[in-house]
């Protein structure tokens, strides 16, 4: 910890950590947050180096938003099964069938996929962004089918088409897992990340079960809710790294994972040595092909600045 503190000053670095990171990383990070908060910080933080404790698409997004900064990903090989569920070639093919469509890409995508998209979103703002798109425009939403179904239900957008991708960690939090947990404690409040396999079941219960308290939330929204809740017991459907944060902000309520095996292998690749290596030797520097960097930054900037959303001036 002391060595990392010294190196962070020497390297003029800010350490950003996603909420799914292991507790030791979150303890030493300058900022922890969800994908949306970390994108905002990456775009505006004054330090010249960003060390991203998260996965590849997050570090890539930071580089796209701050091209003049050095961005380091201390976890080599930290991919994302959801980002891998659509390639640029597949998107180009899909889009060719809908030449006038607006393409909404979840941030969990490669830079090459972002380069073919109009606007990005995260779990925290997907409903708000799709709600803003004119109802007569076709929308291609990618790559997560569960988040997409949630957005379709909440926005009732008439021309929303969904890609059939998924995150293997969240898809593995199934309706059967949720039903089993609820059967043991029918009064528990539910916090559900909309990437989960149980999202449709949760939406169904929210509309059909009187008195059920079911919230669909990003990871930071879960922490904010945990601070306020008066519930005795909350069932949490997302990657289990978030549980330590929920317990830290509210030691009275019992927070329990809907599926305790839901751990993202990629989010847990960082080690103290790899972090030192990044800060000391610049290992893990992110670079993005100049032929796509500008086009890939545009949908991220449109996400952060509503004035840049293409349907406002097309
Ligand atoms: P957040 O949108 O809450 O950051 O979670 C997305 C996710 O799955 C990151 O891998
Ligand atoms: Fe990707 Fe899923 Fe891991 Fe998030 S939890 S980084 S979506 S594989």
């Amino acid at each position: 910890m002391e060595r990392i503190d010294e190196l962070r000053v020497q390297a003029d670095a800010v350490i950003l950590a996603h909420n799914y990171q292991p507790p030791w990383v979150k303890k030493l990070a300058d900022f922890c947050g969800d994908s949306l908060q970390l994108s905002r910080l990456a775009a505006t933080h004054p330090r010249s180096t960003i060390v991203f404790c998260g996965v590849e698409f997050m570090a890539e997004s930071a580089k796209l938003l701050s091209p003049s900064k050095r961005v380091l990903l201390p976890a080599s090989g930290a991919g994302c099964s959801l980002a891998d569920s659509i390639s640029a070639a597949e998107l180009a093919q899909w889009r060719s069938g809908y030449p006038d469509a607006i393409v909404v890409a979840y941030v969990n995508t490669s830079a090459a996929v972002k380069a073919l998209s109009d606007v990005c979103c995260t779990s925290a703002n997907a409903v708000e962004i799709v709600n803003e798109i004119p109802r007569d425009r076709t929308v291609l939403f990618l790559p997560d089918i569960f988040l997409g179904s949630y957005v379709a239900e909440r926005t009732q957008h008439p021309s929303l088409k969904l890609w059939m991708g998924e995150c293997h960690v969240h898809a593995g939090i199934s309706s059967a897992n949720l039903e089993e947990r609820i059967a043991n404690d029918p009064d528990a409040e539910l916090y559900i990340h909309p990437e989960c396999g149980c999202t449709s079941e949760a939406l169904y219960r929210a509309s059909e079960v009187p008195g059920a308290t079911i919230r669909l939330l990003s990871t930071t929204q879960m922490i904010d809710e945990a601070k306020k809740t008066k519930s005795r017991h909350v069932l949490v459907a997302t990657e289990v790294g978030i549980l330590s944060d929920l317990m830290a902000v509210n030691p009275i309520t019992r927070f329990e994972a809907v599926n305790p095996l839901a751990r993202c292998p990629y989010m847990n690749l960082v080690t103290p040595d790899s972090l030192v290596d990044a800060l000391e030797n610049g290992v893990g520097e992110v670079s993005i092909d100049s032929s796509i960097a500008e086009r890939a930054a545009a949908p991220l900037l449109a996400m952060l600045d509503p004035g840049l959303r293409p349907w406002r001036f097309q």
Side-chain angles (χ1 to χ4, degrees):
M1 289 281 218
E2 279 166 23
R3 183 83 188 112
I4 287 167
D5 273 340
E6 275 169 31
L7 291 170
R8 153 175 31 208
V9 175
Q10 279 167 26
D12 187 37
V14 59
I15 301 180
L16 305 181
H18 188 266
N19 291 326
Y20 294 154
Q21 287 288 291
W24 69 267
V25 175
K26 288 190 277 199
K27 196 165 167 209
L28 60 75
D30 293 287
F31 297 98
C32 302
D34 66 9
S35 310
L36 182 58
Q37 289 175 305
L38 297 180
S39 299
R40 287 204 174 112
L41 273 164
T44 54
H45 200 278
R47 284 192 209 149
S48 59
T49 292
I50 298 172
V51 178
F52 216 116
C53 295
V55 295
E56 228 164 60
F57 74 81
M58 295 178 174
E60 266 189 1
S61 297
K63 182 69 185 173
L64 290 168
L65 288 165
S66 282
S68 61
K69 290 184 195 162
R70 186 170 66 137
V71 177
L72 304 170
L73 176 68
S76 127
C80 168
S81 55
L82 180 53
D84 285 347
S85 63
I86 187 164
S87 67
E90 285 170 323
L91 174 53
Q93 164 89 28
W94 194 29
R95 226 175 73 150
S96 67
Y98 304 94
D100 296 326
I102 301 280
V103 178
V104 181
Y106 197 36
V107 285
N108 301 40
T109 42
S110 66
V113 165
K114 287 186 176 79
L116 295 174
S117 304
D118 294 299
V119 64
C120 285
C121 70
T122 75
S123 59
N125 61 13
V127 169
E128 174 206 316
I129 286 179
V130 171
N131 253 335
E132 212 199 271
I133 302 174
R135 317 280 288 175
D136 59 353
R137 299 293 299 270
T138 300
V139 181
L140 305 184
F141 187 94
L142 63 99
D144 192 83
I145 185 69
F146 299 109
L147 177 70
S149 312
Y150 163 66
V151 169
E153 199 269 349
R154 283 290 146 99
T155 64
Q156 297 290 313
H157 197 290
S159 321
L160 189 67
K161 314 232 173 273
L162 307 181
W163 188 259
M164 296 281 285
E166 62 179 35
C167 148
H168 74 294
V169 180
H170 283 88
I173 307 173
S174 65
S175 298
N177 294 144
L178 186 62
E179 278 164 18
E180 195 188 317
R181 295 280 165 179
I182 292 173
N184 289 337
D185 192 345
D187 297 329
E189 197 175 342
L190 306 184
Y191 293 179
I192 312 284
H193 193 287
E195 275 176 36
C196 289
C198 62
T199 294
S200 306
E201 169 75 14
L203 288 171
Y204 168 78
R205 295 187 75 83
S207 62
E208 298 298 321
V209 180
T213 312
I214 299 169
R215 300 180 199 284
L216 282 108
L217 303 164
S218 80
T219 50
T220 291
Q221 289 167 345
M222 287 185 187
I223 297 171
D224 292 342
E225 281 300 323
K227 290 177 191 160
K228 295 185 286 196
T229 188
K230 298 277 180 281
S231 294
R232 179 179 55 83
H233 186 198
V234 177
L235 294 171
V236 183
T238 193
E239 210 272 358
V240 293
I242 193 74
L243 288 167
S244 58
D245 299 296
L246 303 179
M247 290 169 192
V249 297
N250 179 346
I252 295 165
T253 300
R254 181 159 59 94
F255 297 96
E256 193 185 344
V258 170
N259 180 347
L261 300 177
R263 188 175 291 283
C264 175
Y266 312 114
M267 282 282 179
N268 285 279
L269 282 173
V270 60
T271 65
D273 284 345
S274 69
L275 196 43
V276 167
D277 230 12
L279 284 163
E280 194 164 35
N281 305 316
V283 172
E285 182 163 0
V286 175
S287 70
I288 295 170
D289 195 315
S290 57
S291 65
I292 59 164
E294 209 173 304
R295 279 183 295 130
L300 282 167
L301 293 167
M303 171 178 82
L304 298 179
D305 179 354
L308 298 175
R309 295 182 186 162
W311 56 89
R312 294 197 174 198
F313 44 84
Q314 270 173 2

